Amino acid sequence: MGRYTRRFDEIGSEDLALVGGKNASLGELYRRLREAGVRVPDGFAITAEAYRAMLDAAGAWAPLREALEGLDVDDVADLAARGKRARQLIFDAGLPEELVAEIKAGYRALREEYGEDVRLAVRSSATSEDLPTASFAGQHETYLNVRGDDALLEACRRCFASLFLDRAIHYRVDQGFDHLSVALSIGVMKLVRSDIGSSGVMFSLDTESGFRDVVLLNGSYGLGENVVQGTVDPDEFMVHKPTYLAGSRAVLRRKLGTKALRMELVDDDPSRTTRNVDTPPGDRDRFCLRDDEVLELAGYACAIEAHYEMPMDMEWAKDGTDGLLYLVQARPATSVPTTTVLQRFVLDETGEVVVEGRAVGTKAVSGVARRIGGVDELSMFRPGEVLVAATTTPDWEPVMKTASGIVTDHGGRTCHAAIVARELGIPAVVGTGRATTRIETGEEVTVSCGEGDTGRVYRGRIPFHVEETAADNLPRPITKIMVNLGNPELAFTTALLPNDGVGLARREFLIGESIKAHPMALAHPELVRDPATREELARLTAGYPDGSAFFVERLSEGIGTIAAAFWPKPVVVRMSDFKTNEYATLLGGADFEPDEDNPMIGFRGASRYAHPAYRDGFALECKAMLRVREEMGLKNVVLMIPFVRRVEEAERVLQVMAESGLERDKDGLEVYAMCEIPNNVVLVDRFAQLFDGFSIGSNDLTQLTLGVDRDSEVVAFDYDERDEGVKELIRLAVEGCRRNHIHSGICGQAPSDYPDMAAFLVEIGIDSMSLNADSLVSTTWAVLDLERRLGRGAADSDANALLRELTHPGG
């Protein structure tokens, strides 16, 4: 294009030293990925050579070196004075005539391509930027809504000068870069009109766990700075990459953000180019992208990750004029969790929750809170304090690096505060909505991010401990060691533990915490007698066609998240097993549940599913599971029916499921039964003709074998899962499964609580044990040792010595 400029189709990844990380990536995307359907706005790069030529012509190198010599970046006043001097030197250097002519020519070409009214984005691109080890995200300036030759030239001069913003100087010192060896390139490109559309960021992995099989996407209305800076609480979407690439087209999970502000362009005020305005209530209550748009962007992410062969951090924008989606930046994702030793921060006590938001990281920390209202108050912050703010910007980073934790009112998991906290390895809770009004400077708080996607700030110092688990190099026993799981927010981190899949995915947590309402009340709100409850149901399901659609989407996304996390390992999903007293506590539940004297052996499990009183509720459960398997493509889901009393009852339930599209053996669907009633064992050969496996529920089996109410403290001394009668029934069940060539498993805690019980199960040849996550490693070690002593499997003494060292260092 010229001596100092290059069109995007003339540059690529190999031109990092010439055009900087951002422009090299944009050129690479524009040249290499358009054929894969990735849409990138056209533009041109002003090279790093132009920056050097500008300083050469002005004789500015020596004064610039003098301005920075002896700088102490921890002296805020000194940093501010020297940074201001350096920026003024560069701005005053001016642009050489040849460069001015090339910039104007590039602008003319963009007007010819997009029309005379095209607006420009002028973006910095340092030669040290967007590297796998240091992103330099947000360190330099971007100018939007630029129109006209004079405005463009002015923006370029300011962009060059931004190489020496205080925050950029500090970041280079932290990262070990020499100030004068780093040069700045500038990208000039069509501005995507997301001010009247939407925009955001996406990652080709889950940023908290490092789980590689999802695309994480955040978005809001208006220009993207609000999402990047954490000014808004954005919408969040996830797409499962393996099933997407296999042809399934479904959003795995979504979370509606408040999106309170929208950044728009300003045409009537020469002092600024953008401003924030309130988002209309109707827009706040709906997602900023349709599902098909989320899936299109997921396709972009998959193509870009495949091209670069590494996890990627991307920015996208939807143009409100043409309705098209554009990719406007891609860089390697930094601070990707890669540790093979998983740390779990566990609170030892509970306490008053002051605020909740989105968890960043998995750690916990206690400290003194310091509320900061703006940059002018940063000097009051003391190292080790918990930073509490409405939001953060790159100017705050020198102080953020000294914080023990961060709490913000606004922002999502990809906002500035989250990115910096992740890079620093400190816990953050973002998007709380009210931290700055609920937390006072000087009070002690505990920031907890180890409880799933929801981060919590507790009042006072809550004691906690750290559990460490080796996540790799564990030999696998012949007996499958699976995990019990009910909270989708823990799915990705739990999946990193050594496991053979999920032996029990409970949906009770999902229904109680995410759905909150009785399935029948959602299906038939007109039958709910209390007007206040009907109003609450209406609020709960706002934005959905009806309560049934709400239930199906929420349940399918929760179960889908668990299934995706463990894909392609089996995930055994138990249909709902609330008792009547538990169902009655759900919103609207009192209108649909009988009052029973002993709900434990009452209207529960299979007896509900084909009964007229719950049949419509069960139909919603089936519809959700059908969506998980067919629309989401997660065919690793195995369905399990609890508390099946009689063979005839099992036949009726299977018929109802088939009528709902869940036909056993169709598309590989397997259906298990819980073995928790003595009749299941007595008639094991008949039950085995109807099911593909038994999962022994030792709690209920013990209760019904010994005639002991497991909830009664009075007879607790008689409740023992290791009783000889209970063990005999388990043995007969396992033998019956083997005789009938179906799976045998157990999903109680007995194997992890009692080593002798685990030994018994291995000895009788059970196929799998499903345990809570905290006992996976220790039980795996015990089972490997048992199998070795029994002469089973390939576990040798060297493997077990390694396992013992990993799980019990020095022991």
Side-chain angles (χ1 to χ4, degrees):
M1 182 175 171
R3 182 180 178 188
Y4 295 125
T5 56
R6 299 286 190 277
R7 295 191 309 269
F8 281 175
D9 62 5
E10 296 178 320
I11 55 178
S13 296
E14 67 278 7
D15 296 306
L16 178 67
L18 180 66
V19 297
K22 192 177 299 177
N23 283 336
S25 178
L26 283 167
E28 185 75 10
L29 294 170
Y30 193 85
R31 287 172 59 193
R32 309 293 186 193
L33 287 165
R34 279 185 296 171
E35 292 184 2
V38 178
R39 190 179 297 106
V40 181
D42 200 1
F44 63 94
I46 301 169
T47 67
E49 286 303 313
Y51 167 81
R52 296 188 181 97
M54 177 184 70
L55 296 189
D56 287 341
W61 288 107
L64 189 58
R65 183 176 293 107
E66 182 182 345
L68 298 170
E69 192 172 358
L71 169 67
D72 179 5
V73 293
D74 293 323
D75 184 335
V76 176
D78 186 45
L79 174 61
R82 291 171 181 266
K84 182 179 180 180
R85 172 63 179 152
R87 292 192 295 276
Q88 194 65 49
L89 282 168
I90 294 176
F91 185 80
D92 290 345
L95 303 175
E97 289 185 8
E98 185 178 354
L99 175 57
V100 169
E102 289 188 25
I103 292 172
K104 289 181 177 180
Y107 185 19
R108 282 196 303 274
L110 289 176
R111 289 201 301 269
E112 291 171 4
E113 181 177 357
Y114 291 115
E116 285 296 322
D117 294 331
V118 64
R119 304 179 190 222
L120 302 176
V122 179
R123 311 176 72 183
S124 60
S125 179
T127 55
S128 58
E129 195 168 62
D130 290 350
L131 304 176
T133 55
S135 71
F136 278 79
Q139 299 303 318
H140 313 115
E141 293 288 20
T142 290
Y143 296 91
L144 305 177
N145 199 25
V146 177
R147 290 183 293 173
D149 287 346
D150 292 343
L152 174 57
L153 296 174
E154 172 82 2
C156 289
R157 293 174 68 190
R158 293 191 178 281
C159 212
F160 277 138
S162 75
L163 184 61
F164 287 92
L165 288 170
D166 298 355
R167 64 192 185 228
I169 295 172
H170 202 297
Y171 192 89
R172 281 196 296 274
V173 170
D174 291 341
Q175 296 292 329
F177 287 88
D178 177 65
H179 297 298
L180 299 188
S181 66
V182 174
L184 194 80
S185 169
I186 296 173
V188 179
M189 60 195 295
K190 172 200 170 180
L191 174 65
V192 179
R193 292 299 305 276
S194 59
D195 59 304
I196 50 176
S198 57
S199 58
V201 298
M202 64 178 173
F203 289 80
S204 63
L205 80 169
D206 177 57
T207 54
E208 302 314 316
S209 65
F211 183 67
R212 293 285 302 270
D213 282 352
V214 291
V215 173
L216 170 67
L217 191 151
N218 279 183
S220 187
Y221 299 111
L223 299 170
E225 273 65 22
N226 278 343
V227 176
V228 174
Q229 294 173 6
T231 310
V232 296
D233 178 22
D235 295 334
E236 182 173 295
F237 309 87
M238 277 189 180
V239 176
H240 185 231
K241 290 188 291 189
T243 48
Y244 176 90
L245 294 171
S248 295
R249 293 294 179 267
V251 176
L252 176 66
R253 192 175 181 186
R254 78 202 77 211
K255 185 178 292 184
L256 186 69
T258 57
K259 307 180 295 295
L261 297 173
R262 186 185 79 245
M263 184 175 286
E264 63 179 18
L265 299 178
V266 175
D267 293 325
D268 56 3
D269 184 351
S271 67
R272 57 178 177 168
T273 57
T274 64
R275 67 183 169 210
N276 268 322
V277 297
D278 290 338
T279 303
D283 287 342
R284 297 186 195 190
D285 295 337
R286 63 181 178 87
F287 289 102
C288 66
L289 289 174
R290 303 187 307 268
D291 278 12
D292 63 301
E293 293 171 332
V294 174
L295 295 168
E296 181 180 345
L297 288 170
Y300 288 7
C302 291
I304 292 167
E305 182 181 61
H307 178 74
Y308 283 96
E309 299 182 332
M310 65 179 71
M312 297 297 289
D313 169 359
M314 295 149 281
E315 295 182 18
W316 60 270
K318 178 183 176 181
D319 196 307
T321 59
D322 60 22
L324 299 177
L325 293 164
Y326 293 83
L327 206 289
V328 296
Q329 187 171 332
R331 56 180 170 241
T334 56
S335 302
V336 177
T338 57
T339 180
T340 57
V341 177
L342 302 178
Q343 287 188 326
R344 182 173 176 237
F345 286 67
V346 182
L347 299 185
D348 297 324
E349 301 174 5
T350 59
E352 178 191 349
V353 177
V354 186
V355 290
E356 292 185 345
R358 302 198 182 177
V360 178
T362 59
K363 296 181 179 179
V365 68
S366 295
V368 175
R370 172 75 63 176
R371 196 167 65 195
I372 299 294
V375 177
D376 57 329
E377 298 179 10
L378 288 174
S379 60
M380 296 185 290
F381 191 84
R382 299 291 176 264
E385 292 179 330
V386 175
L387 175 63
V388 180
T391 186
T392 66
T393 70
D395 293 312
W396 294 44
E397 290 182 24
V399 162
M400 294 170 73
K401 65 180 291 188
T402 70
S404 59
I406 298 171
V407 185
T408 68
D409 288 344
H410 309 298
R413 291 200 292 157
T414 54
C415 72
H416 175 264
I419 290 171
V420 173
R422 204 173 290 120
E423 193 168 299
L424 296 173
I426 61 176
V429 179
V430 300
T432 65
R434 52 180 183 161
T436 55
T437 60
R438 297 269 296 169
I439 301 173
E440 297 291 337
T441 291
E443 72 171 303
E444 293 187 328
V445 295
T446 298
V447 180
S448 173
C449 294
E451 302 172 65
D453 284 352
T454 301
R456 296 179 175 87
V457 181
Y458 294 88
R459 199 174 303 283
R461 291 181 177 269
I462 306 295
F464 60 85
H465 67 278
V466 182
E467 296 176 353
E468 290 191 347
T469 304
D472 64 354
N473 296 325
L474 293 182
R476 301 310 305 154
I478 297 300
T479 309
K480 302 296 183 186
I481 306 298
M482 307 175 83
V483 64
N484 300 330
L485 187 63
N487 185 352
E489 295 185 357
L490 301 175
F492 295 151
T493 52
T494 304
L496 297 175
L497 297 169
N499 71 84
D500 295 305
V502 178
L504 175 61
R506 306 182 185 94
R507 60 182 61 192
E508 289 75 28
F509 177 90
L510 260 171
I511 294 174
E513 297 296 321
S514 178
I515 296 172
K516 302 181 186 297
H518 194 287
M520 290 295 292
L522 291 168
H524 296 288
E526 72 281 359
L527 299 180
V528 176
R529 291 169 292 182
D530 178 38
T533 301
R534 289 199 299 272
E535 289 179 9
E536 195 170 347
L537 285 168
R539 285 194 297 270
L540 185 67
T541 58
Y544 292 84
D546 53 35
S548 295
F550 166 80
F551 181 90
V552 170
E553 184 169 290
R554 285 290 182 92
L555 183 58
S556 61
E557 288 183 356
I559 296 299
T561 299
I562 296 174
F566 290 83
W567 172 270
K569 299 174 185 175
V571 173
V572 181
V573 180
R574 185 175 68 188
M575 306 303 272
S576 64
D577 193 28
F578 280 124
K579 287 74 175 175
T580 51
N581 58 326
E582 296 167 334
Y583 264 122
T585 64
L586 296 173
L587 189 63
D591 290 304
F592 297 95
E593 295 298 327
D595 185 15
E596 296 185 299
D597 290 332
N598 195 342
M600 190 73 75
I601 54 173
F603 189 43
R604 62 175 287 203
S607 64
R608 299 181 69 94
Y609 302 154
H611 195 284
Y614 188 71
R615 185 159 181 159
D616 289 349
F618 186 62
L620 295 183
E621 293 191 41
C622 291
K623 190 173 182 179
M625 294 305 95
L626 193 65
R627 181 171 187 259
V628 170
R629 285 183 54 86
E630 294 194 353
E631 289 186 38
M632 294 182 172
L634 294 163
K635 300 235 167 78
N636 57 326
V637 164
V638 177
L639 298 181
M640 184 160 68
I641 310 301
F643 224 70
V644 188
R645 291 180 170 99
R646 296 181 298 114
V647 172
E648 294 78 12
E649 186 174 71
E651 292 172 337
R652 284 200 304 273
V653 170
L654 291 171
Q655 180 59 37
V656 169
M657 290 175 63
E659 291 170 359
S660 297
L662 294 173
E663 184 177 350
R664 183 183 167 216
D665 293 334
K666 181 181 178 183
D667 292 328
L669 174 62
E670 291 187 333
V671 181
Y672 288 3
M674 291 287 292
C675 177
E676 47 196 344
I677 298 169
N679 198 36
N680 301 145
V681 182
V682 174
L683 299 179
V684 62
D685 294 316
R686 292 183 61 188
F687 278 107
Q689 304 309 307
L690 301 175
F691 296 104
D692 299 287
F694 262 8
S695 183
I696 298 166
S698 56
N699 291 338
D700 273 317
L701 186 61
T702 301
Q703 173 177 246
L704 296 174
T705 301
L706 301 180
V708 175
D709 182 351
R710 58 188 173 100
D711 286 344
S712 171
E713 296 180 4
V714 178
V715 291
F717 60 87
D718 265 335
Y719 182 88
D720 188 352
E721 293 163 289
R722 296 169 296 173
D723 182 87
E724 288 301 316
V726 177
K727 290 171 68 175
E728 179 63 12
L729 285 179
I730 292 174
R731 184 185 66 79
L732 291 172
V734 171
E735 289 180 354
C737 289
R738 187 182 306 114
R739 182 169 61 248
N740 288 279
H741 309 290
I742 67 172
H743 179 87
S744 64
I746 188 168
C747 55
Q749 271 299 101
S752 55
D753 291 342
Y754 309 114
D756 57 324
M757 192 67 174
F760 166 73
L761 293 168
V762 172
E763 288 169 1
I764 64 175
I766 200 165
D767 292 325
S768 71
M769 304 181 197
S770 191
L771 318 162
N772 289 343
D774 58 0
S775 57
L776 274 179
V777 173
S778 59
T779 305
T780 299
W781 178 84
V783 170
L784 277 164
D785 192 49
L786 285 165
E787 289 182 348
R788 179 181 57 82
R789 287 191 276 112
L790 291 170
R792 298 179 188 167
D796 56 27
S797 57
D798 291 338
N800 279 278
L802 170 64
L803 183 60
R804 186 188 296 272
E805 179 60 28
L806 285 168
T807 54
H808 304 286

